[in-house]
Amino acid sequence: MKSRALLTNLAEADLRLLRIFIAIAESGGLAAAELRLNISRSVISRHLKDLETRLGVRLCERGRSGFALTEEGGTVLDAARRLLSQIEGFRREVAGLHGGMRGELNLAVFDKFVTNPECKLADAIATFGAEAPGVNLNLHVSGTIAIEKGLLEGQFQVAIHPFHRASESLLSWPLFSEQMWLYGAPDHPLLRGGATPDDAVLRTAAFVGLGYHSPNMEHFWRLGLQPAARAHEQEGSVVLIRSGRYLGFLPEHYAQSFEQAGVLRRIPSDTLQYRCDWNVSIARSPAPGRIARHFTSRLRELHGAEAEPR
């Protein structure tokens, strides 16, 4: 593909092409992007070719072998996300100069928080919505790595997630916590007949752990244990534990319904349990706008969070 100058005159049409490219990449191909964009595949293909011509690089491979971003496509995708996030941030800041708050707030939350009685997110949304009715709230449920990346790239303005490591790039305040207990299926070999093994016996079991950096992973490290299976969300942990082959840690509030149904059993232990703290975080740079600061303030007030960040 012939090399050309890289968007020396950035126009609204170029931004539209970048938005379409992001939709294609996030959907996993042109066909899957049809529903998201509500335009035909032929039109999407034409827009993609137009963008490749404008940039002078091939962004993705598409054909019988499937869809895949090229190395250049991955670079453009990251840059496009940062660019559009910065533009949206500018629009939010300017809108904030004219009295009431208007614009969008992208909030990211880690999975399985709704059943935690200490979480006041719904109350915060209600309070914020009454104070800023002109703000459209987008709530994303995602994993810890994606949440941190989204904050730093401007995709998310506020995030609520389990605290697992300090970051110089983020400002974080503790909000609430949850108790993590060890669980197993009633027909697990160590639990049959209502047995309650001691910790030494429990440590010989096969465990399931979360497959990403998290308090769960750190607790396994501290215990000197290596999970035999990994799940990438709590739902997967439940399935593996219910199989009767593994033991694993789950939030008490989340596991309660499974206990009541008789499909999981909590295993009392002094060492095979821990507490997990949840934070609200914003990025130091790009600096959050007025909307994000206001929402974060409401969250902290409702949870009685300290004024100083971690």
Side-chain angles (χ1 to χ4, degrees):
M1 186 172 291
K2 185 178 179 180
S3 178
R4 297 188 59 179
L6 177 59
L7 300 184
T8 53
N9 295 306
L10 190 64
E12 182 61 36
D14 297 314
L15 298 179
R16 182 167 184 266
L17 292 178
L18 290 173
R19 291 188 180 96
I20 290 173
F21 172 58
I22 291 173
I24 294 170
E26 292 180 345
S27 300
L30 279 67
E34 283 186 278
L35 290 176
R36 175 169 173 174
L37 295 170
N38 196 28
I39 54 179
S40 69
R41 193 185 317 183
S42 61
V43 174
I44 294 173
S45 178
R46 186 170 68 248
H47 286 320
L48 178 59
K49 290 178 181 177
D50 289 345
L51 180 60
E52 289 179 325
T53 300
R54 287 285 279 148
L55 296 175
V57 296
R58 187 168 179 81
L59 297 173
C60 57
E61 303 295 342
R62 55 266 194 196
R64 291 184 178 180
S65 60
F67 174 88
L69 290 178
T70 62
E71 183 177 349
E72 294 83 359
T75 300
V76 171
L77 177 63
D78 290 339
R81 284 170 169 164
R82 290 195 299 270
L83 171 64
L84 295 176
S85 293
Q86 290 167 356
I87 291 173
E88 182 57 34
F90 172 79
R91 288 172 175 165
R92 287 193 298 267
E93 286 296 295
V94 172
L97 299 176
H98 301 280
M101 289 178 283
R102 297 184 181 278
E104 286 190 343
L105 175 63
N106 287 285
L107 168 66
V109 188
F110 186 72
D111 206 7
K112 303 298 178 289
F113 63 93
V114 175
T115 53
N116 190 333
E118 295 186 30
C119 177
K120 310 297 182 186
L121 177 57
D123 297 328
I125 291 173
T127 301
F128 177 79
E131 295 171 341
V135 175
N136 295 323
L137 179 63
N138 302 312
L139 196 155
H140 308 260
V141 178
S142 192
T144 54
I145 295 175
I147 285 175
E148 290 184 9
K149 184 173 184 289
L151 281 174
L152 298 178
E153 293 184 351
Q155 181 184 359
F156 309 134
Q157 289 78 57
V158 182
I160 301 173
H161 57 115
F163 177 77
H164 64 102
R165 62 184 175 190
S167 172
E168 294 182 357
S169 301
L170 302 177
L171 293 171
S172 300
W173 293 264
L175 290 184
F176 55 88
S177 63
E178 59 189 5
Q179 178 63 40
M180 306 291 293
W181 292 107
L182 186 65
Y183 290 87
D187 60 351
H188 187 282
L190 296 180
L191 305 179
R192 288 172 184 161
T196 304
D198 60 26
D199 286 8
V201 174
L202 289 171
R203 290 172 69 95
T204 66
F207 289 89
V208 57
L210 294 179
Y212 46 82
H213 201 285
S214 61
N216 176 274
M217 182 180 289
E218 290 180 351
H219 192 66
F220 276 111
W221 289 342
R222 286 194 295 268
L223 292 171
L225 295 174
Q226 181 66 37
R230 295 193 180 275
H232 291 269
E233 58 179 30
Q234 298 287 20
E235 198 90 352
S237 295
V238 171
V239 171
L240 290 166
I241 296 170
R242 287 188 61 180
S243 73
R245 292 182 57 85
Y246 306 97
L247 304 180
F249 298 102
L250 294 171
E252 179 180 19
H253 60 85
Y254 174 58
Q256 190 173 37
S257 62
F258 298 107
E259 280 191 275
Q260 293 172 346
V263 296
L264 289 184
R265 178 183 155 197
R266 189 177 80 182
I267 308 169
S269 171
D270 292 330
T271 62
L272 299 175
Q273 52 91 11
Y274 62 99
R275 286 196 70 81
C276 178
D277 296 324
W278 284 59
N279 281 5
V280 57
S281 296
I282 56 178
R284 293 181 186 271
S285 178
R290 179 186 174 196
I291 293 172
R293 294 195 305 269
H294 188 80
F295 185 80
T296 303
S297 177
R298 287 292 171 266
L299 268 174
R300 289 163 50 202
E301 289 172 2
L302 284 166
H303 288 90
E306 297 178 359
E308 293 299 318
R310 286 185 169 182

